[in-house]
């Protein structure tokens, strides 16, 4: 390595531009990963005059070091392993029931980012894909959970620096008086930088009936940041399908800046039963055989009722079953219960639900 | 004359990337950062203007760099510094403070001598920039 022409390199400061000596392919790969976001950030930096002139040579030096020869080959499977994507996708598959189209899309995104990363090492230009997303679907279909997984995935493949999730609603973004909204929205955006900003029930941001609503101001700031700071933040909007459609109809700029519109399907009866099993095994309970049948019966009835919130309803039903289970055990003080009794939910625990007593009832089960 | 005050002031000016790395170091230590600016270069000038409130709850330096750049846009010819506060001691303690922006031309200081009784001479440094009113000191 030749001595850098400028004195600034001589200092022991963390200078990412200084090319590290490479011993093997592993070191080279690590160097490539850490250098990539730095270069991106520089490209976006708005430093003036003298400031932006200097790092140019740093990053160009870095790029030359990183390039692989044209006839080199890469093993994508090994790359996947190194980035830890496989275990993340496996966990996603294991812990989230159903949602096949969503999982497919996540897999595609992960593949694209990985391939882009490898392409860059060959010196093939790769523009950063826009990854703002919109999750629509009924309540309880896993929108927040998927957003959280997404944040971690994007962090693993090096798209995001931190990979944390900041979940907000209209209250956190929109102010109460003139001049309050912009700082409030910016504050939240800054907090989410390097990670994912998840806006739940995003359609509340825009109120068509009130022209002077401050939500519009918030939307404008969001749009601006979504466009200019694309490499630092991923915005995920979530909400019911029909109301999000309305929201996009009145904010076409928002719709076009969102690359991925994911619609979360409602769970089928089988999937709901699987979810129930998964939730129970997490807290070390299990269903007896007739309780399983009762649960299916319960779910099919509950699905017909209003305010059915998919996985969330399942969770609530199980919570109540656990209450009744505990009460049942306590109501027979003379009997001795073994370990299995403490884990097993019986059919009776579920049958006590109001869903069975008033099948045509309009009120949700309690 | 180049003003040297705050941490790293004898090093060449930081690039944006280096600023972000320092900010990230502060964030990782749990020190909230704040941006301040002034056009009075005197070393004893403690009263810099605040650019917004200190930035709490950040996890990534991108937000800090964003504010620095916003401040640069508004005051391209001012001194701008980043402060990091360490709140562990229960009082305001500056853990790190460094300049991130300086005017294009820094005219420096003149030395004034005041002759007192006997052969006493009192010295004072006076920034040339202060000859002009606040806001007009460095061009824009």
């Amino acid at each position: 390595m030749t001595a850098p022409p400028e004195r600034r390199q001589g200092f022991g400061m963390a200078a990412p531009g200084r090319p590290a000596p490479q011993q093997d392919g592993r070191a080279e790969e690590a160097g490539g990963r850490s250098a990539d976001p730095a270069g991106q950030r520089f490209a976006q930096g708005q430093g003036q005059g003298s400031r932006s002139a200097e790092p140019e040579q740093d990053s160009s030096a870095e790029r030359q070091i990183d390039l692989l020869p044209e006839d080199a080959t890469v093993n994508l499977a090994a790359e996947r392993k190194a980035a830890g994507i496989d275990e993340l996708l496996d966990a996603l598959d294991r812990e989230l029931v159903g949602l096949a189209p969503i999982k497919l899309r996540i897999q595609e995104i992960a593949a694209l980012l990985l391939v882009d990363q490898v392409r860059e090492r060959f010196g093939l230009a790769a523009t950063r894909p826009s990854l703002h997303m919109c999750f629509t679907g009924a309540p309880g279909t896993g929108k927040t959970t998927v957003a959280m997984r997404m944040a971690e995935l994007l962090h693993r493949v090096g798209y995001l620096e931190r990979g944390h999730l900041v979940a907000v609603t209209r209250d956190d973004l929109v102010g109460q008086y003139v001049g309050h909204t912009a700082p409030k929205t910016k504050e939240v955006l800054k907090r989410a930088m390097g990670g994912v900003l998840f806006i739940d029930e995003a359609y509340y941001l825009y109120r068509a009936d009130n022209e002077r609503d401050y939500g519009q101001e918030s939307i404008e700031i969001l749009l601006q940041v979504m466009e200019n700071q694309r490499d630092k933040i991923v915005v995920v909007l979530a909400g019911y399908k029909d109301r999000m459609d309305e929201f996009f109809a009145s904010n076409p700029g928002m719709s076009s800046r969102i690359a991925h519109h994911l619609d979360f399907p409602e769970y089928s009866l089988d999937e709901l039963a699987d979810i129930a099993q998964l939730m129970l095994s997490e807290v070390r309970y299990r269903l007896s055989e007739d309780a399983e049948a009762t649960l299916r019966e319960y779910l099919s009835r509950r699905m017909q009722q209003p305010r059915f919130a998919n996985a969330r309803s399942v969770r609530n039903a199980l919570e109540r079953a656990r209450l009744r289970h505990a009460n049942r055990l306590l109501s027979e003080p003379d009997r001795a219960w073994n370990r299995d009794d403490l884990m097993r939910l019986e059919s009776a625990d579920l049958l006590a639900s109001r869903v069975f007593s008033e099948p045509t009832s309009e009120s949700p089960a309690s | 004359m180049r003003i040297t005050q705050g941490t790293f002031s004898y090093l060449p000016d930081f690039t944006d990337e280096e600023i972000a790395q320092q900010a990230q170091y502060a964030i990782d230590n749990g020190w909230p950062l704040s941006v301040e600016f002034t056009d009075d270069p005197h070393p004893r000038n403690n009263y810099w203007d605040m650019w917004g409130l200190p930035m709490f709850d950040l996890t990534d330096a991108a937000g800090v760099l964003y504010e620095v750049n916003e401040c640069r846009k508004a005051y391209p010819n001012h001194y701008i510094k980043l402060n990091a506060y360490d709140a562990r001691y229960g009082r305001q303690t500056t853990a790190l403070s460094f300049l991130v922006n300086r005017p294009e031309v820094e005219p420096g200081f003149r030395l004034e001598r005041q002759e007192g009784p006997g052969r006493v001479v009192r010295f004072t440094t006076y920034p040339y920039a202060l000859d002009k009113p606040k806001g007009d000191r460095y061009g824009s």
Side-chain angles (χ1 to χ4, degrees):
Chain A
M1 255 179 286
T2 56
E6 283 189 38
R7 210 175 141 238
R8 58 193 306 282
Q9 291 279 7
F11 292 93
M13 293 180 354
R18 191 181 323 168
Q22 297 171 9
Q23 283 96 354
D24 53 21
R26 192 75 189 78
E28 179 185 331
E29 184 190 307
R33 191 168 304 126
S34 69
D36 167 29
Q40 290 280 3
R41 193 184 315 153
F42 156 66
Q44 290 270 332
Q46 299 157 343
Q48 326 128 302
S50 61
R51 214 165 270 110
S52 49
E54 283 185 35
E56 193 105 49
Q57 43 179 258
D58 283 359
S59 60
S60 63
E62 177 98 13
R63 287 218 180 98
Q64 279 163 15
I65 297 286
D66 260 342
L67 286 192
L68 293 176
E70 265 179 43
D71 53 351
T73 54
V74 287
N75 184 350
L76 280 178
E79 293 287 325
R80 273 176 68 139
K81 214 174 193 132
I85 298 173
D86 278 341
E87 45 177 304
L88 211 69
L89 290 178
D90 284 349
L92 194 78
D93 218 26
R94 215 170 38 239
E95 289 159 33
L96 292 182
V97 175
L99 296 179
I102 310 292
K103 283 175 182 166
L104 180 67
R105 183 64 73 91
I106 292 178
Q107 217 165 352
E108 285 169 355
I109 290 173
L112 171 69
L113 292 176
L114 198 74
V115 169
D116 268 1
Q117 216 176 52
V118 174
R119 275 173 57 103
E120 197 154 337
R121 284 167 50 200
F122 277 99
L124 298 168
T127 54
R128 249 178 113 80
S130 162
L131 279 187
H132 300 308
M133 282 173 251
C134 172
F135 292 173
T136 53
T141 42
K143 299 188 287 288
T144 316
T145 316
V146 169
M148 235 177 305
R149 297 296 168 89
M150 190 68 94
E152 198 180 343
L153 178 84
L154 295 180
H155 175 54
R156 292 267 179 99
V157 293
Y159 187 87
L160 290 173
E161 294 262 308
R162 306 274 130 197
H164 59 292
L165 182 85
V166 175
V168 297
T169 54
R170 179 191 154 94
D171 275 357
D172 302 290
L173 293 169
V174 180
Q176 290 162 12
Y177 43 83
V178 179
H180 189 203
T181 304
K184 219 174 163 184
T185 305
K186 279 186 184 154
E187 185 72 21
V188 168
L189 282 166
K190 267 189 287 174
R191 202 144 47 90
M193 270 183 191
V196 170
L197 177 66
F198 182 77
I199 307 177
D200 210 1
E201 309 194 73
Y203 45 81
Y204 279 134
L205 280 180
Y206 179 76
R207 295 221 166 120
D209 50 338
N210 184 357
E211 264 183 34
R212 275 183 291 175
D213 185 62
Y214 300 136
Q216 190 62 41
E217 197 183 341
S218 186
I219 292 174
E220 273 155 29
I221 295 171
L222 273 178
L223 284 179
Q224 197 190 334
V225 171
M226 282 164 75
E227 193 63 34
N228 298 339
Q229 314 260 320
R230 232 182 311 173
D231 54 333
K232 289 175 194 139
I233 191 168
V234 169
V235 177
V236 176
L237 306 178
Y240 303 118
K241 177 102 177 93
D242 46 343
R243 302 189 67 173
M244 282 313 283
D245 286 345
E246 255 171 62
F247 173 75
F248 285 133
S250 38
N251 295 281
M254 191 64 110
S255 181
S256 60
R257 274 178 186 81
I258 289 177
H260 304 276
H261 291 261
L262 296 180
D263 195 28
F264 284 61
E266 298 246 358
Y267 289 116
S268 68
L269 183 59
D270 287 333
E271 286 167 348
L272 286 171
D274 283 350
I275 290 171
Q277 293 288 3
L278 206 64
M279 284 175 176
L280 284 175
S281 66
E282 264 169 33
V283 286
R284 304 293 305 276
Y285 275 89
R286 63 181 192 79
L287 292 167
S288 69
E289 260 173 46
D290 23 315
E292 257 174 63
T294 317
L295 180 73
R296 290 183 75 89
E297 171 66 18
Y298 170 89
L299 288 173
S300 64
R301 283 182 187 226
R302 184 68 186 87
M303 281 167 83
Q304 308 307 319
Q305 291 185 350
R307 273 165 298 198
F308 175 64
N310 290 292
R312 211 170 297 142
S313 290
V314 174
R315 182 175 291 279
N316 290 343
L318 294 176
E319 292 292 325
R320 287 189 296 269
R322 281 174 62 191
L323 288 181
R324 295 190 197 102
H325 167 250
N327 205 24
R328 177 165 57 83
L329 298 192
L330 275 183
S331 63
E332 292 177 66
D334 303 331
R335 236 183 104 177
W337 304 100
N338 61 18
R339 183 170 185 274
D340 189 51
D341 290 325
L342 290 173
M343 284 175 67
R344 196 180 60 244
L345 295 181
E346 289 292 350
S347 175
D349 300 328
L350 290 159
L351 275 173
S353 169
R354 205 197 291 174
V355 172
F356 289 102
S357 56
E358 1 177 338
T360 52
S361 152
E362 285 296 297
S363 67
S366 65
Chain B
M1 194 196 101
R2 250 179 76 89
I3 304 293
T4 51
Q5 56 169 285
T7 324
F8 315 124
S9 61
Y10 286 93
L11 301 180
D13 286 345
F14 280 175
T15 60
D16 280 9
E17 198 180 292
E18 286 161 347
I19 292 169
Q21 281 180 337
Q22 293 295 348
Q24 191 61 55
Y25 173 76
I27 290 170
D28 291 344
N29 275 297
W31 305 336
L33 290 126
S34 72
V35 179
E36 293 182 358
F37 63 95
T38 190
D39 60 356
D40 177 354
H42 198 283
R44 292 293 178 88
N45 166 27
N46 294 317
Y47 301 105
W48 292 48
D49 294 293
M50 292 172 80
W51 177 262
L53 295 173
M55 291 168 269
F56 301 102
D57 303 328
L58 295 195
T59 27
D60 190 72
V64 176
L65 202 64
Y66 171 78
E67 285 300 337
V68 167
N69 280 324
E70 287 295 297
C71 188
R72 277 177 181 161
K73 253 189 257 165
Y75 299 102
N77 265 321
H78 279 49
Y79 291 97
I80 301 173
K81 69 176 171 186
L82 258 182
N83 295 328
Y85 296 114
D86 185 354
R88 265 180 312 173
Y89 304 103
R91 55 181 183 273
Q92 177 180 317
T93 318
T94 307
L96 179 68
S97 168
F98 59 99
L99 286 178
V100 291
N101 196 60
R102 57 174 77 240
E104 205 93 325
V105 182
E106 298 173 277
F109 298 82
R110 76 169 164 261
L111 186 69
E112 278 181 356
R113 298 176 184 83
Q114 186 193 37
E115 291 175 40
R119 294 190 58 81
V120 172
V121 176
R122 295 197 167 85
F123 298 98
T124 180
T125 50
Y126 187 86
Y128 291 111
L130 286 197
D131 288 338
K132 289 189 188 149
K134 193 174 173 173
D136 295 340
R137 286 168 184 162
Y138 294 98
S140 61

